[in-house]
Structure formats: C-alpha cells, structure tokens
Amino acid sequence: LSSTNKNDYIIIHFFRRFGWSICKYLAKDLSEMIETIKKECHIQINLIGIGIEMTDYQSFKDEGYFNGKIYINEGKSLYKNLNLKKSKGCCDLYGMSCRLFKIASKAKEKKMENNLKGDKLQYGGELIIKNDVVLLLRSQKDPTDLIEKEEIFKVIDEVKKDEWGDYIKNVI
C-alpha cells in the first residue's frame, strides 16, 4: 500500500480460491466494475487482490481475470485479523444454490476452467481505503457474494461530501 498515492482509493479484494470458476468470474466482474467506476467518477482506484495460497495462482494471473496486483497471505493472518467469515460447510449451500448455479453457468459459458483445489471454507470480502482510512470492510455472506457497484458509489459519495465540507470550511 505504501506505493500508492494517498489520494487514491484502494479497493482490496480477498479471494477464496484462484482455481474455482466462481472466483474467476467474480474477479473479472469486479475488475470490469472498477474500470467503469473510474471512468464515471473520474477518480483513481488501485485494485489489489489477496489470496490465501499459491494453488492455481499462476494460471489465474496469466488468464487475466483480475486487473490489479495480487499478493498471497499464506497463513490467512489478514483474513483472521479482519474477521472474514469461514463457511459452515454444506449449510451455506442451501440459501445460495440458485446464485451459485447461475454464476457457475455464466463462468462455463466464458470457458472459465474449474477446479476445487485448496481451502474450501474461507470466504473473501472487500476493503476500501483512502488516505490511510478504512472506509468499508465487507465480508462475503456466501461464496457468490460480491460488492455491488452502488456500495462503492455510496462510499465515494460520502468521501466527496466530507471533502467538499472541509473545502467549504477552509474557504469561509
């Protein structure tokens, strides 16, 4: 993070597994969403990914599913410190099976290969930072959960309101 401009937004996405087609699809979706937001809002966003293991990392990177730097957090200390959820096993599949199958079929249409190697229980999430301040920390509710564009816009709007408020106070 030290190499990024303090005035830029930083969105950190915590991955589950690089080889799983659902994670590939969500990573691609997030990358495209961030590019759209950058253009619409005329802001700089640094996208960073954190994974928990090297399993399938190289093919994930080579196939271009994510438009940001990727780091590996073996031992999951960041995941633990941020209290990112872990799956309870098959209990979690019950409520999200429709979303899971819908995303899996979209990933299959895009020829995203699938393998289930690696940690199957750890969930991911997102962290949004600006000026060394955490603006949002969000844990996945289930493996198909991805931050919505509207959530990111809401965070950006709040920061812009604060910045304009500070600017007006300084001018007066």
Side-chain angles (χ1 to χ4, degrees), residues 3-121:
S3 65
T4 60
N5 183 340
K6 280 189 145 209
N7 293 320
D8 294 349
Y9 289 88
I10 301 168
I11 296 181
I12 302 172
H13 178 71
F14 293 87
F15 292 105
R16 293 192 71 215
R17 284 180 281 147
F18 294 119
W20 196 33
S21 62
I22 304 296
C23 291
K24 292 175 182 180
Y25 186 86
L26 294 177
K28 191 72 170 164
D29 199 31
L30 178 63
S31 294
E32 291 169 0
M33 181 192 324
I34 297 304
E35 288 306 312
T36 301
I37 292 170
K38 286 164 67 171
K39 289 176 186 165
E40 288 178 12
C41 295
H42 306 288
I43 59 173
Q44 184 58 40
I45 299 174
N46 293 302
L47 186 58
I48 296 171
I50 308 285
I52 56 175
E53 55 199 359
M54 292 297 294
T55 306
D56 293 311
Y57 163 76
Q58 197 58 52
S59 63
F60 181 88
K61 183 180 172 204
D62 293 346
E63 292 168 24
Y65 294 114
F66 190 72
N67 294 342
K69 293 181 181 176
I70 301 175
Y71 300 93
I72 304 299
N73 179 228
E74 290 184 24
K76 301 189 273 188
S77 59
L78 288 172
Y79 289 71
K80 290 172 189 167
N81 290 339
L82 296 172
N83 292 318
L84 296 178
K85 291 182 186 180
K86 285 188 112 176
S87 171
K88 295 175 186 104
C90 36
C91 310
D92 292 347
L93 295 175
Y94 177 72
M96 53 120 197
S97 59
C98 287
R99 287 190 314 270
L100 181 73
F101 291 117
K102 189 182 288 185
I103 293 172
S105 67
K106 288 179 182 179
K108 189 174 182 177
E109 283 174 20
K110 294 187 180 232
K111 310 276 189 258
M112 294 178 178
E113 296 292 320
N114 190 33
N115 90 46
L116 300 175
K117 293 178 190 169
D119 187 323
K120 293 168 185 61
L121 300 178

